[in-house]
Amino acid sequence: MNEIQEIVNLAEKVGLEPSEIHYATTLTGNISQLFAYFNQALAYAHQHIQHYVIEATIFDIPDDVLENSTILEKSGRVNR
C-alpha cells in the first residue's frame, strides 16, 4: 500500500488532482501534467516494484460539457 500511495503522491507533485474511485484513481489536469506524471510513475515503479500494471483512459472533456455533465455529477466530480 505504501507504493500505491507514493505513486498517487507523484500525481500531486506534478499538479494533477487525484481522487479515489472504486479500485482506481481519477486524475484531473492538463495533458502535459499527465504525461509528466506517467514518466515519473513508471520510473518509480521500475525502481521499486517487482510487478505492476498501469491502465489509463484519457478523456478530453470541454469545460462547458464538464459543467453540465450529469454523469460526472453522479460520480461526485462536479459540484453545483
Side-chain angles (χ1 to χ4, degrees), residues 11-50:
E12 292 174 340
K13 290 178 184 176
V14 299
L16 293 169
E17 298 175 27
S19 59
E20 296 178 19
I21 58 175
H22 190 63
Y23 291 110
T25 300
T26 299
L27 302 171
T28 303
N30 67 44
I31 197 72
S32 295
Q33 293 167 315
L34 186 61
F35 281 99
Y37 166 71
F38 285 154
N39 284 331
Q40 291 179 17
L42 287 169
Y44 180 88
H46 183 70
Q47 292 175 357
H48 299 280
I49 304 170
Q50 186 175 22

Side-chain angles (χ1 to χ4, degrees), residues 35-77:
F35 281 99
Y37 166 71
F38 285 154
N39 284 331
Q40 291 179 17
L42 287 169
Y44 180 88
H46 183 70
Q47 292 175 357
H48 299 280
I49 304 170
Q50 186 175 22
H51 174 79
Y52 58 91
V53 175
I54 295 178
E55 182 177 331
T57 303
I58 300 172
F59 292 100
D60 180 17
I61 304 172
D63 289 338
D64 60 329
V65 173
L66 185 65
E67 291 172 2
N68 296 311
S69 175
T70 56
I71 294 171
L72 292 176
E73 286 177 346
K74 290 177 184 175
S75 71
R77 296 293 312 280

